[in-house]
Amino acid sequence: MAKSRSDDGAQTPQQGPLHFAHKESRAVRSDDHAIVSTDRHVLANDRIKGLARRTFSKQVLSEIGGFAGLFALDAERFPDPVLVASTDGVGSKLELAIQLGLHSSIGSDLVNHCVNDVAVQGATPLFFLDYFAAGFLDPDVVQQLISGLVDACKANGCALLGGETAETPWLYGNTDYELAGFMTGVVSRARLLTGEAIREGDTLLGLPSNGLHTSGYSLALKLLLETAGYRPEQYVNELGDKVGAALMRPHRSYLAPIRKLIQAEVASGFAHITGGGLTENLPRILPRGLAAQVDLSTWEPPPLFTHIQRLGGLEADEMLRTFNMGIGLVAVVPADLLKKARMTLTRMNERSIIIGRVIRKTAPRIVYI
């Protein structure tokens, strides 16, 4: 136990935060500031267990409540396996979700974001872990959040293997909480996508986003709710929607189109367009000496982005470095395989846009025309 000094110089015990894993801790912290209820924790964990089991496959060897989750890797399906891991949070979108009480959608956002991050490396998502901390552990809110995680895990074919649930009233307000996730996937070494196969002349094929996804919310909320003074329930003509609905559109999972393009052997690499926009994410997959040339006239950003830009008087460069601008994934496709790639996507009703090409250039790593 950590020690701290009291005013008279004596050593006094210092209580650390009480953690409720998706395992059944019984401890209670009681002082002048808070009493953590084990009854609410037990109820929340009981609901978590029932929901998480819906995602289990024969590879899951453990139940919720152990010290760790157990998962059996299928070595026949993935010879010479490479594990691919990703972690992320939801960011400022969480603030709006709490205000609107839309907790399940945040769970789906988080899973889909992490799925995309491992999928662009060619990996199949295996299992997901979550971390949830709240000022007040409301079993109904926990159930909604976990339901969102479960629905997204099932849709992406991965297991919700476990997690951590903490009630920390000395860190968060009663309705405030934090949510983070951790995804593990696997790919055979020979099928790992690192971007090294990308060549000059390859085509940049963009797949549409649903909206902001999970990036740029600090600026978007400031401009829409503070600068413009909109209310989340207010319909805005320029958006063609209510403000809250436009902002809470889910983060897409691109696992299905990525898989199809990989199976068709038509993609040299993929970039998930998240925080940093096209400007910072496209160069992450390009080999040294190559750059992305993006033609901004090839697609029309959705109204949400153009209205945010107008409200803030933002330059195009700042928009492209902050938001996805309507492009959530970029597939890099050899020019001679472009027709096959687009046909593959069309067959699954997936729209694609030719947004540019790979050029030979050292700096800058992305050029807008």
Side-chain angles (χ1 to χ4, degrees), residues 148-216:
L149 297 176
V150 165
D151 289 344
C153 282
K154 284 177 64 67
N156 288 288
C158 59
L160 178 57
L161 196 60
E164 174 83 1
T165 305
E167 186 173 67
T168 51
W170 47 96
L171 291 179
Y172 299 98
N174 277 349
T175 61
D176 295 332
Y177 61 80
E178 183 59 86
L179 182 68
F182 314 86
M183 176 66 71
T184 300
V186 64
V187 59
S188 294
R189 189 182 300 271
R191 301 185 67 82
L192 184 64
L193 292 176
T194 63
E196 64 182 11
I198 294 174
R199 298 289 183 266
E200 180 183 5
D202 284 356
T203 301
L204 303 176
L205 201 57
L207 275 63
S209 68
N210 280 342
L212 298 184
H213 282 180
T214 49
S215 302

Side-chain angles (χ1 to χ4, degrees), residues 90-337:
V90 185
S92 298
K93 191 174 187 178
L94 204 57
E95 298 177 27
L96 186 61
I98 292 170
Q99 183 178 345
L100 297 177
L102 299 176
H103 309 291
S104 63
S105 65
I106 285 294
S108 297
D109 283 333
L110 183 59
V111 172
N112 289 341
H113 187 136
C114 292
V115 163
N116 292 339
D117 282 349
V118 301
V120 296
Q121 305 276 177
T124 294
L126 297 177
F127 58 83
F128 186 79
L129 303 170
D130 72 275
Y131 174 79
F132 172 76
F136 176 85
L137 192 60
D138 184 338
D140 292 333
V141 171
V142 173
Q143 182 171 346
Q144 291 179 55
L145 278 167
I146 300 300
S147 293
L149 297 176
V150 165
D151 289 344
C153 282
K154 284 177 64 67
N156 288 288
C158 59
L160 178 57
L161 196 60
E164 174 83 1
T165 305
E167 186 173 67
T168 51
W170 47 96
L171 291 179
Y172 299 98
N174 277 349
T175 61
D176 295 332
Y177 61 80
E178 183 59 86
L179 182 68
F182 314 86
M183 176 66 71
T184 300
V186 64
V187 59
S188 294
R189 189 182 300 271
R191 301 185 67 82
L192 184 64
L193 292 176
T194 63
E196 64 182 11
I198 294 174
R199 298 289 183 266
E200 180 183 5
D202 284 356
T203 301
L204 303 176
L205 201 57
L207 275 63
S209 68
N210 280 342
L212 298 184
H213 282 180
T214 49
S215 302
Y217 274 84
S218 294
L219 180 56
L221 292 174
K222 179 177 178 61
L223 292 175
L224 290 167
L225 303 186
E226 295 182 22
T227 301
Y230 298 142
R231 302 180 308 279
E233 69 277 10
Q234 182 177 345
Y235 184 92
V236 174
N237 289 331
E238 290 86 347
L239 301 179
D241 205 345
K242 293 180 179 178
V243 174
L247 289 170
M248 290 301 296
R249 287 177 190 144
H251 193 132
R252 282 193 60 188
S253 168
Y254 293 99
L255 180 62
I258 289 173
R259 276 182 170 166
K260 287 292 186 181
L261 291 173
I262 290 175
Q263 290 167 1
E265 299 182 333
V266 294
S268 304
F270 297 93
H272 182 204
I273 310 305
T274 57
L278 289 164
T279 302
E280 295 185 6
N281 286 288
L282 260 178
R284 294 167 70 176
I285 63 168
L286 297 176
R288 187 185 300 273
L290 297 180
Q293 184 182 77
V294 176
D295 185 349
L296 297 177
S297 69
T298 56
W299 83 97
E300 186 70 30
L304 177 58
F305 298 100
T306 54
H307 193 52
I308 287 172
Q309 183 175 13
R310 191 177 306 115
L311 288 173
L314 303 175
E315 298 290 337
D317 284 349
E318 184 173 359
M319 294 293 296
L320 290 160
R321 191 180 294 276
T322 306
F323 303 105
N324 64 57
M325 299 303 288
I327 301 294
L329 181 81
V330 175
V332 183
V333 178
D336 59 338
L337 296 175

